[in-house]
Amino acid sequence: MQDVREALYVGSRSDGRLIRRPMSPHLQVYKMRLSMFLSITNRITGVVATAGSALGVAWLAALAKGPKSFAAARKVTGNPLGQIILGGWILSLVWHTVGGLRHFIWDVGKRDDKKSVNEDGPVAVGVIAGVSVTLAAALLGVSCCRSRSRAKLRKAS
Amino acid sequence: MNAPVSPHHDVMRSQLGRARGLGSGHSGTGHWIAERVSAATLLPLSGWFVVQMFRLGGADYEEVAEWGGRPLNATMLAALVISSFYHAESGLQVIVDDYVHGKAHVPAKLGVRFVTGILGLLGVVAVLKLALGRPAPKA
């Protein structure tokens, strides 16, 4: 390949052997750090959140189609496996939101020095975990309680 | 455009020479800003949706369908669906730009457009059907 950039990748190891220098950030070369992990997972959670939103649209479509298909959708959302998937959607959305906000703060030129980035990383993890667990547990609790009290009402009437 | 150049000439070209005509498509900044704007739009819309999910948790078909049929809810839902898939599309485009090279690049980009576009449209059509396709609930 006659690319001038290739020339910039020629380096030599300490034993003198010529090597192709790594691009940055190169997963196989750099030690995994929290900031790196959070930056990579910001993208991954964006993709996962999109897949979850596709399921959300499927839910909307089932609702628009009628009672039968909505009952089928409720079977999925009421099922433990479905709830794990819902929890994963919530987690990925919260993760991507927190990650996106952090990236935006860096983009405006704040908190982007090494010290702040290393300080904020664990805070971000805490916020992600706290918000997702609270949201998922509260939603699950509310829907369980409500369907149970509804079932009781139906029995009583 | 692609005049044959000797390998020698190609290597000797300066970085500036390479960049001229190859560089910016002058659409990157617009794309970047649109991504942030749609993200900012999604924050309040998602917050609204979370509140609605708390209100609807455990509700049955009639209640949810009635909820979705109300004009304000339908508007917010449509806005949420449109901004979600607009944002997803711009994000996935960047991922394809970064990781999919060569012959697969254009099909992958078109595929992202197609899938996110169809999903977004499906969401909007579902919301419209909820809002317009049912008789108004008896007050």
Side-chain angles (χ1 to χ4, degrees), chain A residues 103-130:
Chain A
H103 276 271
F104 189 73
I105 292 168
W106 296 330
D107 290 338
V108 296
K110 301 236 160 72
R111 308 285 304 161
D112 58 352
D113 58 298
K114 201 169 156 187
K115 189 169 161 280
S116 315
V117 168
N118 285 334
E119 277 169 6
D120 295 349
V123 176
V125 173
V127 170
I128 290 166

mmCIF file with all atom_site columns, all heavy atoms in Angstrom, chain A residues 103-130:
data_model
loop_
_atom_site.group_PDB
_atom_site.id
_atom_site.type_symbol
_atom_site.label_atom_id
_atom_site.label_alt_id
_atom_site.label_comp_id
_atom_site.label_asym_id
_atom_site.label_entity_id
_atom_site.label_seq_id
_atom_site.pdbx_PDB_ins_code
_atom_site.Cartn_x
_atom_site.Cartn_y
_atom_site.Cartn_z
_atom_site.occupancy
_atom_site.B_iso_or_equiv
_atom_site.pdbx_formal_charge
_atom_site.auth_seq_id
_atom_site.auth_comp_id
_atom_site.auth_asym_id
_atom_site.auth_atom_id
_atom_site.pdbx_PDB_model_num
ATOM 1   N N   . HIS A 1 103 ? -19.240 12.414 27.699 1.00 0.00 ? 103 HIS A N   1
ATOM 2   C CA  . HIS A 1 103 ? -18.563 12.787 26.457 1.00 0.00 ? 103 HIS A CA  1
ATOM 3   C C   . HIS A 1 103 ? -18.876 14.235 26.101 1.00 0.00 ? 103 HIS A C   1
ATOM 4   O O   . HIS A 1 103 ? -18.013 14.960 25.604 1.00 0.00 ? 103 HIS A O   1
ATOM 5   C CB  . HIS A 1 103 ? -18.963 11.843 25.322 1.00 0.00 ? 103 HIS A CB  1
ATOM 6   C CG  . HIS A 1 103 ? -18.141 10.588 25.304 1.00 0.00 ? 103 HIS A CG  1
ATOM 7   N ND1 . HIS A 1 103 ? -16.964 10.487 24.605 1.00 0.00 ? 103 HIS A ND1 1
ATOM 8   C CD2 . HIS A 1 103 ? -18.298 9.413  25.925 1.00 0.00 ? 103 HIS A CD2 1
ATOM 9   C CE1 . HIS A 1 103 ? -16.446 9.286  24.787 1.00 0.00 ? 103 HIS A CE1 1
ATOM 10  N NE2 . HIS A 1 103 ? -17.236 8.608  25.587 1.00 0.00 ? 103 HIS A NE2 1
ATOM 11  N N   . PHE A 1 104 ? -20.123 14.641 26.367 1.00 0.00 ? 104 PHE A N   1
ATOM 12  C CA  . PHE A 1 104 ? -20.495 16.021 26.051 1.00 0.00 ? 104 PHE A CA  1
ATOM 13  C C   . PHE A 1 104 ? -19.735 17.007 26.928 1.00 0.00 ? 104 PHE A C   1
ATOM 14  O O   . PHE A 1 104 ? -19.284 18.047 26.470 1.00 0.00 ? 104 PHE A O   1
ATOM 15  C CB  . PHE A 1 104 ? -22.011 16.213 26.203 1.00 0.00 ? 104 PHE A CB  1
ATOM 16  C CG  . PHE A 1 104 ? -22.471 17.539 25.681 1.00 0.00 ? 104 PHE A CG  1
ATOM 17  C CD1 . PHE A 1 104 ? -22.509 17.762 24.319 1.00 0.00 ? 104 PHE A CD1 1
ATOM 18  C CD2 . PHE A 1 104 ? -22.815 18.560 26.544 1.00 0.00 ? 104 PHE A CD2 1
ATOM 19  C CE1 . PHE A 1 104 ? -22.897 18.992 23.812 1.00 0.00 ? 104 PHE A CE1 1
ATOM 20  C CE2 . PHE A 1 104 ? -23.213 19.795 26.051 1.00 0.00 ? 104 PHE A CE2 1
ATOM 21  C CZ  . PHE A 1 104 ? -23.250 20.003 24.682 1.00 0.00 ? 104 PHE A CZ  1
ATOM 22  N N   . ILE A 1 105 ? -19.583 16.643 28.219 1.00 0.00 ? 105 ILE A N   1
ATOM 23  C CA  . ILE A 1 105 ? -18.820 17.511 29.123 1.00 0.00 ? 105 ILE A CA  1
ATOM 24  C C   . ILE A 1 105 ? -17.376 17.640 28.622 1.00 0.00 ? 105 ILE A C   1
ATOM 25  O O   . ILE A 1 105 ? -16.804 18.734 28.603 1.00 0.00 ? 105 ILE A O   1
ATOM 26  C CB  . ILE A 1 105 ? -18.871 16.952 30.564 1.00 0.00 ? 105 ILE A CB  1
ATOM 27  C CG1 . ILE A 1 105 ? -20.294 17.071 31.121 1.00 0.00 ? 105 ILE A CG1 1
ATOM 28  C CG2 . ILE A 1 105 ? -17.887 17.685 31.471 1.00 0.00 ? 105 ILE A CG2 1
ATOM 29  C CD1 . ILE A 1 105 ? -20.532 16.291 32.401 1.00 0.00 ? 105 ILE A CD1 1
ATOM 30  N N   . TRP A 1 106 ? -16.801 16.521 28.163 1.00 0.00 ? 106 TRP A N   1
ATOM 31  C CA  . TRP A 1 106 ? -15.440 16.594 27.607 1.00 0.00 ? 106 TRP A CA  1
ATOM 32  C C   . TRP A 1 106 ? -15.426 17.454 26.341 1.00 0.00 ? 106 TRP A C   1
ATOM 33  O O   . TRP A 1 106 ? -14.469 18.199 26.101 1.00 0.00 ? 106 TRP A O   1
ATOM 34  C CB  . TRP A 1 106 ? -14.930 15.189 27.263 1.00 0.00 ? 106 TRP A CB  1
ATOM 35  C CG  . TRP A 1 106 ? -14.775 14.294 28.438 1.00 0.00 ? 106 TRP A CG  1
ATOM 36  C CD1 . TRP A 1 106 ? -14.475 14.673 29.717 1.00 0.00 ? 106 TRP A CD1 1
ATOM 37  C CD2 . TRP A 1 106 ? -14.919 12.868 28.475 1.00 0.00 ? 106 TRP A CD2 1
ATOM 38  N NE1 . TRP A 1 106 ? -14.425 13.566 30.530 1.00 0.00 ? 106 TRP A NE1 1
ATOM 39  C CE2 . TRP A 1 106 ? -14.686 12.448 29.790 1.00 0.00 ? 106 TRP A CE2 1
ATOM 40  C CE3 . TRP A 1 106 ? -15.219 11.907 27.514 1.00 0.00 ? 106 TRP A CE3 1
ATOM 41  C CZ2 . TRP A 1 106 ? -14.741 11.115 30.188 1.00 0.00 ? 106 TRP A CZ2 1
ATOM 42  C CZ3 . TRP A 1 106 ? -15.273 10.584 27.897 1.00 0.00 ? 106 TRP A CZ3 1
ATOM 43  C CH2 . TRP A 1 106 ? -15.046 10.192 29.222 1.00 0.00 ? 106 TRP A CH2 1
ATOM 44  N N   . ASP A 1 107 ? -16.500 17.337 25.523 1.00 0.00 ? 107 ASP A N   1
ATOM 45  C CA  . ASP A 1 107 ? -16.533 18.065 24.259 1.00 0.00 ? 107 ASP A CA  1
ATOM 46  C C   . ASP A 1 107 ? -16.544 19.575 24.477 1.00 0.00 ? 107 ASP A C   1
ATOM 47  O O   . ASP A 1 107 ? -16.022 20.320 23.647 1.00 0.00 ? 107 ASP A O   1
ATOM 48  C CB  . ASP A 1 107 ? -17.770 17.656 23.437 1.00 0.00 ? 107 ASP A CB  1
ATOM 49  C CG  . ASP A 1 107 ? -17.646 16.236 22.902 1.00 0.00 ? 107 ASP A CG  1
ATOM 50  O OD1 . ASP A 1 107 ? -16.505 15.752 22.804 1.00 0.00 ? 107 ASP A OD1 1
ATOM 51  O OD2 . ASP A 1 107 ? -18.670 15.619 22.594 1.00 0.00 ? 107 ASP A OD2 1
ATOM 52  N N   . VAL A 1 108 ? -17.152 20.025 25.577 1.00 0.00 ? 108 VAL A N   1
ATOM 53  C CA  . VAL A 1 108 ? -17.131 21.465 25.827 1.00 0.00 ? 108 VAL A CA  1
ATOM 54  C C   . VAL A 1 108 ? -15.861 21.867 26.579 1.00 0.00 ? 108 VAL A C   1
ATOM 55  O O   . VAL A 1 108 ? -15.701 23.024 26.954 1.00 0.00 ? 108 VAL A O   1
ATOM 56  C CB  . VAL A 1 108 ? -18.377 21.962 26.603 1.00 0.00 ? 108 VAL A CB  1
ATOM 57  C CG1 . VAL A 1 108 ? -19.632 21.754 25.786 1.00 0.00 ? 108 VAL A CG1 1
ATOM 58  C CG2 . VAL A 1 108 ? -18.514 21.286 27.956 1.00 0.00 ? 108 VAL A CG2 1
ATOM 59  N N   . GLY A 1 109 ? -14.974 20.899 26.790 1.00 0.00 ? 109 GLY A N   1
ATOM 60  C CA  . GLY A 1 109 ? -13.661 21.225 27.331 1.00 0.00 ? 109 GLY A CA  1
ATOM 61  C C   . GLY A 1 109 ? -13.581 21.242 28.839 1.00 0.00 ? 109 GLY A C   1
ATOM 62  O O   . GLY A 1 109 ? -12.703 21.900 29.410 1.00 0.00 ? 109 GLY A O   1
ATOM 63  N N   . LYS A 1 110 ? -14.488 20.520 29.503 1.00 0.00 ? 110 LYS A N   1
ATOM 64  C CA  . LYS A 1 110 ? -14.442 20.482 30.963 1.00 0.00 ? 110 LYS A CA  1
ATOM 65  C C   . LYS A 1 110 ? -14.137 19.063 31.436 1.00 0.00 ? 110 LYS A C   1
ATOM 66  O O   . LYS A 1 110 ? -14.520 18.097 30.786 1.00 0.00 ? 110 LYS A O   1
ATOM 67  C CB  . LYS A 1 110 ? -15.799 20.917 31.540 1.00 0.00 ? 110 LYS A CB  1
ATOM 68  C CG  . LYS A 1 110 ? -16.221 22.320 31.128 1.00 0.00 ? 110 LYS A CG  1
ATOM 69  C CD  . LYS A 1 110 ? -16.505 23.191 32.344 1.00 0.00 ? 110 LYS A CD  1
ATOM 70  C CE  . LYS A 1 110 ? -16.454 24.674 32.008 1.00 0.00 ? 110 LYS A CE  1
ATOM 71  N NZ  . LYS A 1 110 ? -17.584 25.125 31.224 1.00 0.00 ? 110 LYS A NZ  1
ATOM 72  N N   . ARG A 1 111 ? -13.520 18.938 32.581 1.00 0.00 ? 111 ARG A N   1
ATOM 73  C CA  . ARG A 1 111 ? -13.242 17.658 33.238 1.00 0.00 ? 111 ARG A CA  1
ATOM 74  C C   . ARG A 1 111 ? -12.505 16.674 32.322 1.00 0.00 ? 111 ARG A C   1
ATOM 75  O O   . ARG A 1 111 ? -12.710 15.469 32.437 1.00 0.00 ? 111 ARG A O   1
ATOM 76  C CB  . ARG A 1 111 ? -14.527 16.982 33.739 1.00 0.00 ? 111 ARG A CB  1
ATOM 77  C CG  . ARG A 1 111 ? -15.438 17.817 34.600 1.00 0.00 ? 111 ARG A CG  1
ATOM 78  C CD  . ARG A 1 111 ? -14.999 18.055 36.009 1.00 0.00 ? 111 ARG A CD  1
ATOM 79  N NE  . ARG A 1 111 ? -14.731 16.865 36.786 1.00 0.00 ? 111 ARG A NE  1
ATOM 80  C CZ  . ARG A 1 111 ? -14.006 16.879 37.899 1.00 0.00 ? 111 ARG A CZ  1
ATOM 81  N NH1 . ARG A 1 111 ? -13.486 18.012 38.350 1.00 0.00 ? 111 ARG A NH1 1
ATOM 82  N NH2 . ARG A 1 111 ? -13.781 15.780 38.555 1.00 0.00 ? 111 ARG A NH2 1
ATOM 83  N N   . ASP A 1 112 ? -11.715 17.168 31.384 1.00 0.00 ? 112 ASP A N   1
ATOM 84  C CA  . ASP A 1 112 ? -11.097 16.243 30.451 1.00 0.00 ? 112 ASP A CA  1
ATOM 85  C C   . ASP A 1 112 ? -9.595  16.050 30.696 1.00 0.00 ? 112 ASP A C   1
ATOM 86  O O   . ASP A 1 112 ? -8.905  15.472 29.867 1.00 0.00 ? 112 ASP A O   1
ATOM 87  C CB  . ASP A 1 112 ? -11.364 16.658 28.997 1.00 0.00 ? 112 ASP A CB  1
ATOM 88  C CG  . ASP A 1 112 ? -10.870 18.057 28.700 1.00 0.00 ? 112 ASP A CG  1
ATOM 89  O OD1 . ASP A 1 112 ? -10.458 18.744 29.650 1.00 0.00 ? 112 ASP A OD1 1
ATOM 90  O OD2 . ASP A 1 112 ? -10.914 18.453 27.523 1.00 0.00 ? 112 ASP A OD2 1
ATOM 91  N N   . ASP A 1 113 ? -9.102  16.537 31.843 1.00 0.00 ? 113 ASP A N   1
ATOM 92  C CA  . ASP A 1 113 ? -7.711  16.221 32.177 1.00 0.00 ? 113 ASP A CA  1
ATOM 93  C C   . ASP A 1 113 ? -7.681  14.855 32.851 1.00 0.00 ? 113 ASP A C   1
ATOM 94  O O   . ASP A 1 113 ? -8.694  14.342 33.312 1.00 0.00 ? 113 ASP A O   1
ATOM 95  C CB  . ASP A 1 113 ? -7.124  17.311 33.080 1.00 0.00 ? 113 ASP A CB  1
ATOM 96  C CG  . ASP A 1 113 ? -7.933  17.479 34.344 1.00 0.00 ? 113 ASP A CG  1
ATOM 97  O OD1 . ASP A 1 113 ? -9.131  17.834 34.260 1.00 0.00 ? 113 ASP A OD1 1
ATOM 98  O OD2 . ASP A 1 113 ? -7.376  17.239 35.437 1.00 0.00 ? 113 ASP A OD2 1
ATOM 99  N N   . LYS A 1 114 ? -6.459  14.301 32.878 1.00 0.00 ? 114 LYS A N   1
ATOM 100 C CA  . LYS A 1 114 ? -6.313  12.921 33.334 1.00 0.00 ? 114 LYS A CA  1
ATOM 101 C C   . LYS A 1 114 ? -6.894  12.713 34.736 1.00 0.00 ? 114 LYS A C   1
ATOM 102 O O   . LYS A 1 114 ? -7.591  11.733 34.990 1.00 0.00 ? 114 LYS A O   1
ATOM 103 C CB  . LYS A 1 114 ? -4.810  12.599 33.349 1.00 0.00 ? 114 LYS A CB  1
ATOM 104 C CG  . LYS A 1 114 ? -4.490  11.140 33.306 1.00 0.00 ? 114 LYS A CG  1
ATOM 105 C CD  . LYS A 1 114 ? -3.001  11.005 33.045 1.00 0.00 ? 114 LYS A CD  1
ATOM 106 C CE  . LYS A 1 114 ? -2.446  9.697  33.530 1.00 0.00 ? 114 LYS A CE  1
ATOM 107 N NZ  . LYS A 1 114 ? -0.976  9.678  33.407 1.00 0.00 ? 114 LYS A NZ  1
ATOM 108 N N   . LYS A 1 115 ? -6.634  13.680 35.621 1.00 0.00 ? 115 LYS A N   1
ATOM 109 C CA  . LYS A 1 115 ? -7.067  13.524 37.009 1.00 0.00 ? 115 LYS A CA  1
ATOM 110 C C   . LYS A 1 115 ? -8.597  13.488 37.095 1.00 0.00 ? 115 LYS A C   1
ATOM 111 O O   . LYS A 1 115 ? -9.167  12.590 37.729 1.00 0.00 ? 115 LYS A O   1
ATOM 112 C CB  . LYS A 1 115 ? -6.506  14.692 37.844 1.00 0.00 ? 115 LYS A CB  1
ATOM 113 C CG  . LYS A 1 115 ? -6.691  14.534 39.334 1.00 0.00 ? 115 LYS A CG  1
ATOM 114 C CD  . LYS A 1 115 ? -5.869  15.583 40.080 1.00 0.00 ? 115 LYS A CD  1
ATOM 115 C CE  . LYS A 1 115 ? -6.364  15.757 41.512 1.00 0.00 ? 115 LYS A CE  1
ATOM 116 N NZ  . LYS A 1 115 ? -7.568  16.622 41.616 1.00 0.00 ? 115 LYS A NZ  1
ATOM 117 N N   . SER A 1 116 ? -9.247  14.455 36.440 1.00 0.00 ? 116 SER A N   1
ATOM 118 C CA  . SER A 1 116 ? -10.719 14.494 36.516 1.00 0.00 ? 116 SER A CA  1
ATOM 119 C C   . SER A 1 116 ? -11.331 13.254 35.886 1.00 0.00 ? 116 SER A C   1
ATOM 120 O O   . SER A 1 116 ? -12.300 12.711 36.415 1.00 0.00 ? 116 SER A O   1
ATOM 121 C CB  . SER A 1 116 ? -11.250 15.721 35.782 1.00 0.00 ? 116 SER A CB  1
ATOM 122 O OG  . SER A 1 116 ? -10.513 16.849 36.119 1.00 0.00 ? 116 SER A OG  1
ATOM 123 N N   . VAL A 1 117 ? -10.773 12.832 34.755 1.00 0.00 ? 117 VAL A N   1
ATOM 124 C CA  . VAL A 1 117 ? -11.334 11.659 34.077 1.00 0.00 ? 117 VAL A CA  1
ATOM 125 C C   . VAL A 1 117 ? -11.252 10.442 34.991 1.00 0.00 ? 117 VAL A C   1
ATOM 126 O O   . VAL A 1 117 ? -12.214 9.675  35.110 1.00 0.00 ? 117 VAL A O   1
ATOM 127 C CB  . VAL A 1 117 ? -10.585 11.398 32.746 1.00 0.00 ? 117 VAL A CB  1
ATOM 128 C CG1 . VAL A 1 117 ? -10.941 10.030 32.183 1.00 0.00 ? 117 VAL A CG1 1
ATOM 129 C CG2 . VAL A 1 117 ? -10.926 12.470 31.724 1.00 0.00 ? 117 VAL A CG2 1
ATOM 130 N N   . ASN A 1 118 ? -10.121 10.294 35.674 1.00 0.00 ? 118 ASN A N   1
ATOM 131 C CA  . ASN A 1 118 ? -9.978  9.155  36.578 1.00 0.00 ? 118 ASN A CA  1
ATOM 132 C C   . ASN A 1 118 ? -10.859 9.279  37.816 1.00 0.00 ? 118 ASN A C   1
ATOM 133 O O   . ASN A 1 118 ? -11.281 8.273  38.375 1.00 0.00 ? 118 ASN A O   1
ATOM 134 C CB  . ASN A 1 118 ? -8.522  8.995  37.001 1.00 0.00 ? 118 ASN A CB  1
ATOM 135 C CG  . ASN A 1 118 ? -7.688  8.402  35.878 1.00 0.00 ? 118 ASN A CG  1
ATOM 136 O OD1 . ASN A 1 118 ? -8.217  7.701  35.020 1.00 0.00 ? 118 ASN A OD1 1
ATOM 137 N ND2 . ASN A 1 118 ? -6.404  8.701  35.866 1.00 0.00 ? 118 ASN A ND2 1
ATOM 138 N N   . GLU A 1 119 ? -11.126 10.519 38.213 1.00 0.00 ? 119 GLU A N   1
ATOM 139 C CA  . GLU A 1 119 ? -12.020 10.722 39.371 1.00 0.00 ? 119 GLU A CA  1
ATOM 140 C C   . GLU A 1 119 ? -13.479 10.424 38.998 1.00 0.00 ? 119 GLU A C   1
ATOM 141 O O   . GLU A 1 119 ? -14.222 9.827  39.779 1.00 0.00 ? 119 GLU A O   1
ATOM 142 C CB  . GLU A 1 119 ? -11.941 12.175 39.855 1.00 0.00 ? 119 GLU A CB  1
ATOM 143 C CG  . GLU A 1 119 ? -10.779 12.449 40.781 1.00 0.00 ? 119 GLU A CG  1
ATOM 144 C CD  . GLU A 1 119 ? -10.599 13.949 41.011 1.00 0.00 ? 119 GLU A CD  1
ATOM 145 O OE1 . GLU A 1 119 ? -11.451 14.756 40.542 1.00 0.00 ? 119 GLU A OE1 1
ATOM 146 O OE2 . GLU A 1 119 ? -9.602  14.304 41.643 1.00 0.00 ? 119 GLU A OE2 1
ATOM 147 N N   . ASP A 1 120 ? -13.874 10.878 37.783 1.00 0.00 ? 120 ASP A N   1
ATOM 148 C CA  . ASP A 1 120 ? -15.289 10.800 37.401 1.00 0.00 ? 120 ASP A CA  1
ATOM 149 C C   . ASP A 1 120 ? -15.714 9.398  36.984 1.00 0.00 ? 120 ASP A C   1
ATOM 150 O O   . ASP A 1 120 ? -16.905 9.076  37.069 1.00 0.00 ? 120 ASP A O   1
ATOM 151 C CB  . ASP A 1 120 ? -15.577 11.786 36.258 1.00 0.00 ? 120 ASP A CB  1
ATOM 152 C CG  . ASP A 1 120 ? -15.395 13.224 36.706 1.00 0.00 ? 120 ASP A CG  1
ATOM 153 O OD1 . ASP A 1 120 ? -15.260 13.428 37.920 1.00 0.00 ? 120 ASP A OD1 1
ATOM 154 O OD2 . ASP A 1 120 ? -15.383 14.127 35.842 1.00 0.00 ? 120 ASP A OD2 1
ATOM 155 N N   . GLY A 1 121 ? -14.753 8.591  36.526 1.00 0.00 ? 121 GLY A N   1
ATOM 156 C CA  . GLY A 1 121 ? -15.099 7.244  36.054 1.00 0.00 ? 121 GLY A CA  1
ATOM 157 C C   . GLY A 1 121 ? -15.873 6.430  37.076 1.00 0.00 ? 121 GLY A C   1
ATOM 158 O O   . GLY A 1 121 ? -16.997 5.972  36.794 1.00 0.00 ? 121 GLY A O   1
ATOM 159 N N   . PRO A 1 122 ? -15.322 6.241  38.288 1.00 0.00 ? 122 PRO A N   1
ATOM 160 C CA  . PRO A 1 122 ? -16.047 5.455  39.295 1.00 0.00 ? 122 PRO A CA  1
ATOM 161 C C   . PRO A 1 122 ? -17.390 6.088  39.665 1.00 0.00 ? 122 PRO A C   1
ATOM 162 O O   . PRO A 1 122 ? -18.361 5.361  39.914 1.00 0.00 ? 122 PRO A O   1
ATOM 163 C CB  . PRO A 1 122 ? -15.103 5.470  40.502 1.00 0.00 ? 122 PRO A CB  1
ATOM 164 C CG  . PRO A 1 122 ? -13.758 5.741  39.937 1.00 0.00 ? 122 PRO A CG  1
ATOM 165 C CD  . PRO A 1 122 ? -13.980 6.613  38.753 1.00 0.00 ? 122 PRO A CD  1
ATOM 166 N N   . VAL A 1 123 ? -17.456 7.439  39.661 1.00 0.00 ? 123 VAL A N   1
ATOM 167 C CA  . VAL A 1 123 ? -18.739 8.096  39.943 1.00 0.00 ? 123 VAL A CA  1
ATOM 168 C C   . VAL A 1 123 ? -19.760 7.706  38.885 1.00 0.00 ? 123 VAL A C   1
ATOM 169 O O   . VAL A 1 123 ? -20.918 7.369  39.201 1.00 0.00 ? 123 VAL A O   1
ATOM 170 C CB  . VAL A 1 123 ? -18.554 9.637  39.982 1.00 0.00 ? 123 VAL A CB  1
ATOM 171 C CG1 . VAL A 1 123 ? -19.896 10.331 40.183 1.00 0.00 ? 123 VAL A CG1 1
ATOM 172 C CG2 . VAL A 1 123 ? -17.569 10.027 41.062 1.00 0.00 ? 123 VAL A CG2 1
ATOM 173 N N   . ALA A 1 124 ? -19.318 7.713  37.626 1.00 0.00 ? 124 ALA A N   1
ATOM 174 C CA  . ALA A 1 124 ? -20.222 7.342  36.525 1.00 0.00 ? 124 ALA A CA  1
ATOM 175 C C   . ALA A 1 124 ? -20.725 5.916  36.722 1.00 0.00 ? 124 ALA A C   1
ATOM 176 O O   . ALA A 1 124 ? -21.922 5.649  36.560 1.00 0.00 ? 124 ALA A O   1
ATOM 177 C CB  . ALA A 1 124 ? -19.507 7.472  35.182 1.00 0.00 ? 124 ALA A CB  1
ATOM 178 N N   . VAL A 1 125 ? -19.823 5.012  37.095 1.00 0.00 ? 125 VAL A N   1
ATOM 179 C CA  . VAL A 1 125 ? -20.237 3.615  37.308 1.00 0.00 ? 125 VAL A CA  1
ATOM 180 C C   . VAL A 1 125 ? -21.278 3.543  38.420 1.00 0.00 ? 125 VAL A C   1
ATOM 181 O O   . VAL A 1 125 ? -22.305 2.864  38.285 1.00 0.00 ? 125 VAL A O   1
ATOM 182 C CB  . VAL A 1 125 ? -19.012 2.731  37.647 1.00 0.00 ? 125 VAL A CB  1
ATOM 183 C CG1 . VAL A 1 125 ? -19.459 1.334  38.038 1.00 0.00 ? 125 VAL A CG1 1
ATOM 184 C CG2 . VAL A 1 125 ? -18.066 2.663  36.464 1.00 0.00 ? 125 VAL A CG2 1
ATOM 185 N N   . GLY A 1 126 ? -21.039 4.295  39.507 1.00 0.00 ? 126 GLY A N   1
ATOM 186 C CA  . GLY A 1 126 ? -21.993 4.304  40.610 1.00 0.00 ? 126 GLY A CA  1
ATOM 187 C C   . GLY A 1 126 ? -23.349 4.832  40.179 1.00 0.00 ? 126 GLY A C   1
ATOM 188 O O   . GLY A 1 126 ? -24.386 4.254  40.519 1.00 0.00 ? 126 GLY A O   1
ATOM 189 N N   . VAL A 1 127 ? -23.335 5.941  39.421 1.00 0.00 ? 127 VAL A N   1
ATOM 190 C CA  . VAL A 1 127 ? -24.603 6.533  38.966 1.00 0.00 ? 127 VAL A CA  1
ATOM 191 C C   . VAL A 1 127 ? -25.344 5.554  38.069 1.00 0.00 ? 127 VAL A C   1
ATOM 192 O O   . VAL A 1 127 ? -26.557 5.334  38.219 1.00 0.00 ? 127 VAL A O   1
ATOM 193 C CB  . VAL A 1 127 ? -24.340 7.867  38.226 1.00 0.00 ? 127 VAL A CB  1
ATOM 194 C CG1 . VAL A 1 127 ? -25.609 8.366  37.538 1.00 0.00 ? 127 VAL A CG1 1
ATOM 195 C CG2 . VAL A 1 127 ? -23.822 8.919  39.199 1.00 0.00 ? 127 VAL A CG2 1
ATOM 196 N N   . ILE A 1 128 ? -24.610 4.924  37.135 1.00 0.00 ? 128 ILE A N   1
ATOM 197 C CA  . ILE A 1 128 ? -25.240 3.965  36.212 1.00 0.00 ? 128 ILE A CA  1
ATOM 198 C C   . ILE A 1 128 ? -25.897 2.839  37.012 1.00 0.00 ? 128 ILE A C   1
ATOM 199 O O   . ILE A 1 128 ? -27.081 2.526  36.819 1.00 0.00 ? 128 ILE A O   1
ATOM 200 C CB  . ILE A 1 128 ? -24.195 3.379  35.245 1.00 0.00 ? 128 ILE A CB  1
ATOM 201 C CG1 . ILE A 1 128 ? -23.725 4.441  34.249 1.00 0.00 ? 128 ILE A CG1 1
ATOM 202 C CG2 . ILE A 1 128 ? -24.771 2.185  34.489 1.00 0.00 ? 128 ILE A CG2 1
ATOM 203 C CD1 . ILE A 1 128 ? -22.467 4.053  33.499 1.00 0.00 ? 128 ILE A CD1 1
ATOM 204 N N   . ALA A 1 129 ? -25.123 2.247  37.934 1.00 0.00 ? 129 ALA A N   1
ATOM 205 C CA  . ALA A 1 129 ? -25.636 1.106  38.698 1.00 0.00 ? 129 ALA A CA  1
ATOM 206 C C   . ALA A 1 129 ? -26.833 1.537  39.534 1.00 0.00 ? 129 ALA A C   1
ATOM 207 O O   . ALA A 1 129 ? -27.885 0.889  39.514 1.00 0.00 ? 129 ALA A O   1
ATOM 208 C CB  . ALA A 1 129 ? -24.532 0.527  39.573 1.00 0.00 ? 129 ALA A CB  1
ATOM 209 N N   . GLY A 1 130 ? -26.685 2.672  40.264 1.00 0.00 ? 130 GLY A N   1
ATOM 210 C CA  . GLY A 1 130 ? -27.754 3.128  41.148 1.00 0.00 ? 130 GLY A CA  1
ATOM 211 C C   . GLY A 1 130 ? -29.025 3.422  40.388 1.00 0.00 ? 130 GLY A C   1
ATOM 212 O O   . GLY A 1 130 ? -30.102 2.913  40.734 1.00 0.00 ? 130 GLY A O   1
#
